[in-house]
Amino acid sequence: MTETLLSVRDLKVSYQVGKGSIDAVDGASFDVPRGSIVGLVGESGCGKTTVARALTRVIADNASITGGQILFDGQDIAALPEREMNALRWRDIAFIPQSAMNSLDPVYTVEYQLNEVLRRRGGLGRRQARARCEELFEMVGIEAGRLGDYPHQFSGGMRQRVAIALALALNPKLVIADEPVTALDVIVQRQILDQLRDLQSMLGISVILVTHDISVVAYVCDRTVVMYAGRIAEAGPMDAVLMEPSHPYTMGLRNAFPDLKGAASGVLTPIEGAPPNLAFPPPGCRFAPRCPFAVETCTTQQPALGMAAPDHRVSCHRADEAAKLRQEAARTETWLADV
Ligand SMILES: Nc1ncnc2c1ncn2[C@@H]1O[C@H](COP(=O)(O)OP(=O)(O)O)[C@@H](O)[C@H]1O
Ligand code: SF4
Ligand SMILES: [Mg+2]
């Protein structure tokens, strides 16, 4: 058994749009160690959901995985026949889709929906399924007496807990949660994240937590993968990436978000401009049009994902100047100039 549960290697995913295509994920590489929470973070449209869905191979009709490997427990699931892939879903890899709390079926009780997974996919008998439903509800902190309720009878936070219970139903090794706390207020966000963390450590599973909010990553994740415009900007241990970022985009993100832990956050400085249109990405570094530190090479050559430290990767031509750039990035004026 290796320490790495999931290893994504040079993953490419494209959407066919009319006669053209959008390379929404253009060579993503990152690892998910066993028993860890990995935050996949970046602005809206950078390809997080596309990566998350590619990992479960539940992708849009116009999407295709055009390259790379997804090594799960050593097996390349990007190349797995659909029937074998389907057998892995829920049992080994469970996916909590974006807005899962609104996607529970309103016409069925939550017990019915849990049973769909437990009985149909898991092959449990009626009594076993009932016991498991009660156990799952206890795990996510909802009274078993509410199993017969309909989704609309739960608050947003409780529906998200139900979605987590569904994902955990068949004891998966990996749970991928797409923006699980995005629509919730900060207090409920913390409760859900605390619970996700408790369950992750109790069950020893791995979690990929997809979020646009870097403070969510800071609050709960062990590792961080920062995406920008379909590529990985930086990846490594959470503290190293967020406290001492080596990529200017991560430096900028850090300035732009309040701290979920409630610590004094100072002035928030947004990164000016918008991510590129992925149908016509700029040559070279995709962050160059917004980067205050761009030099000529940045606009012509794509930076490789290199080593900032043994366990910390970064894709920036100026990565070896990171300490100096961090000091400049801490000043608001840096982000107002040049753009
Ligand atoms: N079905 C689709 N067809 C065409 N383009 C899509 C489709 N789904 C997503 N995209 C595009 O792919 C890019 C990445 O989207 P997505 O993975 O949803 O980003 P994120 O989850 O980070 O917000 C965006 O430019 C988005 O417009
Ligand atoms: S490669 Fe250049 S443009 Fe891209 S993040 Fe680094 S310094 Fe900025
Ligand atoms: Mg998304």
Side-chain angles (χ1 to χ4, degrees):
M1 218 164 69
T2 62
E3 284 306 304
T4 303
L5 177 64
L6 180 80
S7 185
V8 179
R9 290 281 156 265
D10 205 22
L11 180 67
K12 297 184 184 192
V13 186
S14 298
Y15 291 105
Q16 198 65 39
V17 181
K19 288 193 178 138
S21 69
I22 295 175
D23 297 331
V25 179
D26 188 31
S29 299
F30 63 92
D31 289 340
V32 177
R34 287 178 199 278
S36 66
I37 305 189
V38 174
L40 183 58
V41 67
E43 281 161 296
S44 175
C46 71
K48 304 179 298 294
T49 295
T50 306
V51 168
R53 289 194 165 272
L55 300 182
T56 57
R57 301 241 318 258
V58 181
I59 53 179
D61 290 344
N62 64 334
S64 47
I65 297 176
T66 52
Q69 294 180 308
I70 303 169
L71 299 169
F72 178 76
D73 248 348
Q75 183 180 32
D76 184 9
I77 59 172
L80 218 53
E82 173 53 27
R83 210 163 61 91
E84 287 174 47
M85 185 65 215
N86 196 35
L88 285 182
R89 292 192 193 106
W90 297 98
R91 287 177 170 279
D92 289 296
I93 305 178
F95 181 53
I96 306 177
Q98 205 162 333
S99 325
M101 61 182 184
N102 299 321
S103 67
L104 294 167
D105 196 326
V107 298
Y108 296 109
T109 66
V110 294
E111 181 169 15
Y112 182 94
Q113 295 179 59
L114 278 164
N115 273 332
E116 283 287 288
V117 178
L118 292 169
R119 301 193 62 184
R120 265 224 232 160
R121 311 228 23 150
L124 268 63
R126 186 196 296 263
R127 271 216 225 125
Q128 282 174 305
R130 172 72 200 185
R132 181 68 178 149
C133 281
E134 289 175 5
E135 192 175 54
L136 286 164
F137 257 40
E138 193 184 322
M139 275 160 59
V140 297
I142 309 178
E143 284 169 37
R146 301 209 53 189
L147 274 165
D149 285 359
Y150 289 86
H152 74 266
Q153 293 172 281
F154 294 94
S155 66
M158 297 261 263
R159 283 202 297 273
Q160 192 60 54
R161 287 171 198 263
V162 173
I164 293 171
L166 259 175
L168 296 177
L170 299 185
N171 276 320
K173 294 179 186 143
L174 174 67
V175 171
I176 303 171
D178 195 355
E179 304 275 6
V181 295
T182 295
L184 303 168
D185 70 59
V186 175
I187 308 253
V188 181
Q189 282 194 12
R190 280 191 213 184
Q191 290 167 353
I192 299 282
L193 293 173
D194 288 344
Q195 183 154 64
L196 206 55
R197 167 53 98 192
D198 289 348
L199 289 168
Q200 177 276 328
S201 84
M202 183 176 91
L203 302 170
I205 58 175
S206 304
V207 175
I208 298 178
L209 200 158
V210 174
T211 176
H212 67 282
D213 185 342
I214 206 162
S215 51
V216 166
V217 177
Y219 188 68
V220 79
C221 293
D222 302 304
R223 299 181 66 80
T224 313
V225 178
V226 182
M227 275 191 87
Y228 186 77
R231 291 185 182 151
I232 306 300
E234 181 161 13
M238 187 276 285
D239 281 348
V241 173
L242 297 191
M243 300 308 150
E244 295 209 320
S246 291
H247 196 287
Y249 178 60
T250 320
M251 298 174 198
L253 271 186
R254 231 173 52 138
N255 293 341
F257 274 96
D259 185 350
L260 192 69
K261 286 173 180 160
S265 51
V267 181
L268 299 184
T269 311
I271 306 172
E272 305 254 324
N277 177 349
L278 291 177
F280 309 100
C285 173
R286 290 182 173 182
F287 188 53
R290 300 169 81 189
C291 181
F293 309 121
V295 291
E296 206 180 327
T297 329
C298 303
T299 58
T300 54
Q301 283 178 35
Q302 180 185 334
L305 194 59
M307 301 268 232
D311 192 24
H312 183 166
R313 299 190 151 250
V314 60
S315 164
C316 171
H317 290 303
R318 301 187 66 185
D320 53 2
E321 299 170 73
K324 187 182 97 185
L325 301 188
R326 269 197 300 275
Q327 283 186 353
E328 290 181 39
R331 295 170 37 231
T332 303
E333 309 81 78
T334 301
W335 297 91
L336 300 177
D338 281 280
V339 182

